[in-house]
């Protein structure tokens, strides 16, 4: 392959393929073999094998002792830890989020914008024996969760309009995809500063989210409490909602002071 062959419309094809492979492995709970990865990305086994061997040799992937299955390697974990340290929102928010978990008994989640999507950057799982757990690193459409819609509501108008102009994917039967409904919900969020979701990510699971803002008044992240319908009567009200909003205000104030 020449340099020109590996370059297309401003993108280096081999780098794009590497990213696709890493994302496929990140989304898999178990190691994945060469044949399966080649099928998923629509490429030849020979090409995928070359990519995997290179990534393994660099420590980005690990290969099982027996067989040709691969999983993410420790170098990626180290890079992820370094990246997380650069997001001072998480550093500032962590004490308040742990306190919110303790007072509510629910799983607490920090989400941030990643392009046109929302990524769950940190989770503080409930310490109860039976609890809803959320996986860090999960990416969801901005319209597809309470936290995502909070961030959507307070991002720059032109960004929100561009995102909502695209076809909106429906990843679950209850995920909100009506643009009219989302526009109405965004207006409500801008008034009340929180949103909620029932059964959108998984049947029986609810969440309430509120925004975190920096010193300039820009949306920096969203925090959510996540639990079952039995734990979180909907629509949100009472002490749980008050605790969430108070936590969001506390983190926003701390973030402003931290960056001053």
């Amino acid at each position: 392959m020449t340099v020109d062959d590996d370059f297309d419309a401003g993108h280096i094809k081999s780098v794009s393929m590497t990213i696709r492979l890493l994302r496929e492995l990140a989304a898999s709970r178990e190691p994945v073999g060469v044949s399966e990865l080649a099928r998923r990305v629509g490429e030849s086994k020979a090409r995928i094998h070359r990519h995997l061997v290179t990534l393994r040799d660099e420590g980005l992937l690990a290969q099982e002792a027996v067989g040709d299955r691969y999983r993410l390697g420790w170098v990626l974990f180290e890079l992820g830890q370094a990246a997380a340290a650069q997001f001072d929102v998480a550093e500032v928010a962590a004490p308040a989020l742990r306190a919110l978990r303790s007072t509510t008994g629910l799983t607490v989640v920090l989400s941030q914008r990643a392009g046109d999507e929302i990524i769950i950057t940190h989770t503080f799982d409930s310490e109860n024996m039976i609890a809803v757990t959320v996986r860090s690193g999960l990416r969801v459409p901005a319209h597809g969760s309470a936290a995502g819609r909070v961030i959507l509501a307070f991002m720059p108008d032109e960004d929100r309009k561009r995102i909502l102009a695209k076809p909106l994917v429906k990843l679950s039967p209850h995920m909100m995809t009506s643009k009219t409904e989302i526009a109405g919900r965004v207006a409500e969020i801008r008034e009340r500063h929180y949103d909620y979701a029932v059964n959108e990510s998984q049947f029986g699971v609810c969440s309430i989210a509120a925004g975190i803002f920096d010193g300039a008044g820009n949306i920096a992240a969203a925090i959510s409490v996540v639990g079952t319908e039995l734990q979180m009567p909907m629509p949100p009200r009472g002490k749980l909602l008050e605790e969430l909003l108070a936590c969001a205000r506390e983190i926003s104030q701390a973030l402003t002071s931290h960056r001053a």
Side-chain angles (χ1 to χ4, degrees), residues 21 23-33 36-37 40 62 64 69-72:
L21 291 171
R23 284 180 171 168
E24 286 292 339
L25 289 168
S28 300
R29 293 183 177 273
E30 297 180 350
V32 184
E36 175 61 16
L37 283 169
R40 291 184 188 182
E64 288 190 326
R69 300 202 307 169
Y70 292 80
R71 58 176 172 79
L72 299 182

Side-chain angles (χ1 to χ4, degrees), residues 71-124:
R71 58 176 172 79
L72 299 182
W74 278 101
V75 170
L76 281 176
F77 177 80
E78 293 168 352
L79 291 174
Q81 293 291 96
Q86 296 176 16
F87 289 93
D88 58 356
V89 173
E91 179 183 351
V92 171
L97 296 181
R98 291 192 182 96
L100 183 63
R101 176 183 61 182
S102 296
T103 57
T104 64
L106 299 170
T107 292
V108 177
V109 175
L110 178 69
S111 303
Q112 293 178 265
R113 182 180 175 185
D116 290 350
E117 296 179 306
I118 306 301
I119 185 169
I120 295 172
T121 56
H122 292 76
T123 61
F124 300 83

